[in-house]
Amino acid sequence: MPPEERRRPIHVLNNDTLVESPPYAAFVHASISRLRRAAPALNMPLYVAVASPEVDQTFWVNLIGRGYPSPNRQFRWCTDRMKIGPTNAYIRSQVDQSGSVVLLLGVRKDESANRAQSINRHTVEGHRLNPHSSLRGCFVFRPIVDLATDELWTFLLQSPPPWGGSHRDLVTLYRNASGGECPLVIDQEDAPSCGNNPSSRFGCWTCTVVEKDKSLQGLVDTGQDELQPLLDLRDWLRLIRNDLTLRDAERRNGAEGPGPFRLEVREEILKRLLDAQTLVGQPLITDAEVRRIRELWTSDFGRWAEKRQRTPTAERPQ
Ligand code: SF4
């Protein structure tokens, strides 16, 4: 297209859950900076945006502040809060401004049988643009839907990115993590990488939905030993999530059944997280999150302390 015809704004949207695997996060940040620097020279209205969860809804604030057990398949509270919500909010803001948007998704049928099924379900025969299942005014275009994985890597290896540099770092990152791809998740159905995909993918490093974090393990196995504390912490979080002795005896809404983690358990998780942060030498939690966690502790502790005063000692839940 000649420059004078490049009038449609193009938004490159990155979803940062704030618990991305550190090597993956470093790669993405570098790519975003490169893209931002190159945008003026590309002669098109290009915007690069990052969608992250609100402080009140991050992984740590829910786990340590509210005492949610870490996610599993039955209680996967994270995808909506950390991926779908922030991403959809950005897309909605663009629909509000422009009336409609075309969402380019890099999903491919070759990723898995489940992915192919989900793509087929959402495809209107004979149309290249398909209405998004829940976002009004958003039309989905999948430019590489029929590309095989090998073809994709071949293309990336042979074609430098238009914003400069090469795809070498990307290839190394994925090779070290033993392969796999990580899609932009905008729909619960589009999120198998968040839990049940057998191949290595970059999900959140804290993800306890999967049995093992294969990509992080792959990076440790290829010599990045400094990431071992993250694996250890994740494994421990997975271990304690079903230990009912660590949970309050009733749910937040007063219903019977295991409630949130007790306060001392939340303190222990925060302590271990801060220890891991020191060992890894990279920020794993922000000051704003720690402040919000302390506020939630104060409000929970106040409520429970009041309840304890009203409950005769012999009747207190152990
Ligand atoms: S990768 Fe795991 S922790 Fe992250 S949003 Fe998906 S299911 Fe949740």
Side-chain angles (χ1 to χ4, degrees):
M1 264 188 173
E4 63 277 11
E5 285 180 24
R6 300 176 198 167
R7 287 190 297 265
R8 277 195 190 185
I10 298 167
H11 299 256
V12 177
L13 181 57
N14 166 238
N15 173 218
D16 182 356
T17 56
L18 307 179
V19 276
E20 302 292 334
S21 167
Y24 174 77
F27 171 80
V28 171
H29 290 156
S31 301
I32 286 176
S33 307
R34 212 172 287 138
L35 200 52
R36 282 196 172 124
R37 277 200 305 275
L42 293 173
N43 266 321
M44 53 174 95
L46 187 72
Y47 306 93
V48 185
V50 178
S52 293
E54 302 285 335
V55 171
D56 189 53
Q57 290 302 336
T58 65
F59 188 86
W60 299 124
V61 166
N62 280 307
L63 184 92
I64 306 177
R66 296 193 172 85
Y68 284 14
S70 60
N72 66 4
R73 280 180 203 195
Q74 287 73 41
F75 186 41
R76 204 171 88 178
W77 48 264
C78 42
T79 316
D80 255 337
R81 290 172 166 84
M82 306 194 311
K83 294 189 169 182
I84 298 171
T87 309
N88 284 3
Y90 187 85
I91 297 171
R92 262 192 221 103
S93 72
Q94 296 311 314
V95 173
D96 287 349
Q97 276 183 34
S98 312
S100 64
V101 299
V102 176
L103 178 66
L104 274 80
L105 277 187
V107 289
R108 296 177 306 106
K109 290 181 185 165
D110 196 34
E111 286 174 47
S112 68
N114 277 350
R115 178 54 59 98
Q117 261 181 13
S118 155
I119 291 172
N120 288 337
R121 227 182 0 260
H122 288 111
T123 303
V124 183
E125 209 45 59
H127 291 260
R128 276 151 54 97
L129 291 183
N130 295 286
H132 188 277
S133 55
S134 60
L135 290 171
R136 219 193 239 283
C138 175
F139 298 89
V140 179
F141 176 47
R142 308 179 184 104
I144 57 169
V145 68
D146 291 316
L147 217 57
T149 306
D150 287 354
E151 292 173 314
L152 185 66
W153 283 119
T154 307
F155 174 82
L156 290 172
L157 283 166
Q158 289 172 353
S159 331
W163 48 89
S166 78
H167 292 298
R168 219 182 34 237
D169 291 346
L170 179 75
V171 175
T172 309
L173 183 66
Y174 273 83
R175 184 179 296 136
N176 287 346
S178 325
E181 301 116 89
C182 187
L184 178 69
V185 177
I186 55 154
D187 198 311
Q188 281 282 3
E189 266 188 50
D190 259 353
S193 65
C194 285
N196 56 15
N197 195 294
S199 64
S200 303
R201 286 175 179 276
F202 290 100
C204 308
W205 69 264
T206 53
C207 186
T208 49
V209 178
V210 284
E211 195 168 328
K212 291 262 168 241
D213 187 331
K214 290 187 189 161
S215 55
L216 204 54
Q217 184 67 56
L219 294 173
V220 171
D221 292 347
T222 50
Q224 299 196 39
D225 295 340
E226 70 280 7
L227 300 174
Q228 185 64 45
L230 302 189
L231 277 179
D232 295 343
L233 183 58
R234 189 212 79 101
D235 289 349
W236 179 69
L237 288 176
R238 195 162 194 274
L239 194 73
I240 63 167
R241 83 165 310 287
N242 292 326
D243 183 345
L244 301 188
T245 64
L246 306 179
R247 311 265 289 270
D248 195 32
E250 68 180 35
R251 300 204 167 140
R252 275 181 185 280
N253 59 8
E256 273 188 29
F261 280 130
R262 297 200 320 259
L263 273 180
E264 60 272 27
V265 180
R266 300 184 211 177
E267 281 172 336
E268 175 66 18
I269 301 174
L270 181 60
K271 183 186 165 302
R272 290 195 186 210
L273 173 62
L274 296 175
D275 288 349
Q277 180 167 263
T278 309
L279 287 171
V280 175
Q282 297 192 40
L284 300 177
I285 184 170
T286 63
D287 290 347
E289 286 176 287
V290 175
R291 275 197 300 278
R292 182 66 191 129
I293 285 169
R294 294 202 186 282
E295 281 169 15
L296 287 164
W297 283 357
T298 306
S299 97
D300 273 0
F301 185 70
R303 192 157 53 81
W304 288 345
E306 203 182 297
K307 196 172 69 184
R308 280 177 98 85
Q309 276 171 12
R310 285 203 312 265
T311 314
T313 317
E315 293 173 28
R316 276 184 203 161
Q318 294 305 302

